[in-house]
């Protein structure tokens, strides 16, 4: 029996996952701004996002709704960089996110900077009859654009934060 090879037209993100990440979560992070970090640090962000996930699904036909399993948040600090991370339900298709990470630097003279937001998306490359899974790192701008920063790291919080630190060091 031959294994099913995904077709290129199977490569569209599932609507619930895509709308939550690219519409709802982007709006929430932009509206909350610095409060996004406070809520993550105080372990209050996940509950609100779980509700937002459910409301996003409620607006969709029942067959397009996905469970919120795995949706959680965490807060970490690396040197002067604060990172509020949203771990999303397991992506199954390209352009569905593994992680969304809000970051900001804390300058000793100017205080905390404006937040930047990054997404680590599932991606894949087709090579004949095989598919290679990989990730892409994307940065959201405050004006709603997404900047593709190229191939991303493994879908792990530490690896994503390291990749963001490298991008910030060279500029994006």
């Amino acid at each position: 029996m031959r294994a099913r090879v995904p077709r290129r037209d199977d490569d569209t993100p599932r609507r619930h996952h895509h709308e939550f990440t690219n519409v709802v979560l982007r709006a929430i992070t932009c509206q909350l701004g610095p409060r996004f970090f406070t809520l993550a640090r105080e372990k209050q962000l996940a509950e609100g996002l779980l509700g937002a996930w459910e409301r996003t699904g409620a607006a969709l036909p029942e067959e397009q709704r996905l469970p919120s399993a795995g949706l959680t948040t965490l807060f970490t600090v690396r040197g002067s960089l604060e990172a509020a991370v949203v771990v999303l339900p397991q992506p199954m298709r390209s352009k569905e996110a593994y992680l969304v990470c809000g970051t900001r630097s804390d300058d000793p003279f100017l205080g905390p900077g404006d937040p930047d937001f990054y997404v680590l998306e599932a991606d894949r490359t087709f090579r004949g009859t095989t598919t290679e899974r990989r990730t892409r790192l994307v940065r959201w701008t405050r004006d709603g654009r997404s900047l593709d920063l190229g191939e991303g790291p493994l879908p792990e919080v530490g690896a994503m934060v390291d990749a963001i630190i490298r991008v910030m060091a060279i500029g994006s």
Side-chain angles (χ1 to χ4, degrees):
M1 175 182 261
R2 288 179 21 180
R4 180 179 178 276
V5 176
R7 297 180 325 208
R8 285 174 175 80
D9 60 347
D10 287 341
D11 222 16
T12 58
R14 294 170 297 170
R15 191 168 168 200
H16 191 168
H17 212 287
H18 183 75
E19 286 188 16
F20 177 79
T21 305
N22 294 296
V23 178
V24 176
L25 184 54
R26 186 169 61 83
I28 289 170
T29 56
C30 290
Q31 288 174 356
L32 289 176
R35 189 161 151 66
F36 187 76
F37 298 94
T38 303
L39 291 170
R41 183 175 41 251
E42 295 174 357
K43 301 183 187 314
Q44 297 176 352
L45 184 59
E47 185 176 334
L49 293 181
L50 285 167
W53 178 273
E54 296 304 320
R55 287 188 297 279
T56 301
L60 298 173
E62 191 169 338
E63 67 275 4
Q64 293 182 5
R65 297 177 193 163
L66 301 172
S68 62
L71 180 62
T72 189
T73 63
L74 59 101
F75 181 80
T76 187
V77 176
R78 288 261 184 96
S80 66
L81 183 77
E82 293 180 297
V85 182
V86 179
V87 179
L88 291 151
Q90 183 69 30
M92 303 302 285
R93 297 182 182 175
S94 290
K95 298 195 185 280
E96 291 182 358
Y98 286 100
L99 305 165
V100 172
C101 185
T103 64
R104 70 177 177 180
S105 295
D106 190 6
D107 185 282
F109 298 106
L110 301 174
D114 289 331
D116 286 314
F117 298 98
Y118 296 85
V119 179
L120 187 65
E121 295 179 344
D123 193 20
R124 59 185 172 191
T125 300
F126 295 97
R127 302 215 189 275
T129 59
T130 63
T131 302
E132 293 177 14
R133 294 194 181 276
R134 55 190 207 171
T135 64
R136 296 207 73 71
L137 187 61
V138 176
R139 180 174 173 238
W140 288 339
T141 64
R142 285 174 195 76
D143 62 0
R145 292 177 296 138
S146 68
L147 305 173
D148 185 341
L149 301 175
E151 190 164 348
L154 292 173
E156 299 168 347
V157 172
M160 183 178 185
V161 172
D162 289 343
I164 291 167
I165 289 170
R166 283 192 299 278
V167 166
M168 292 173 78
I170 63 171
S172 61

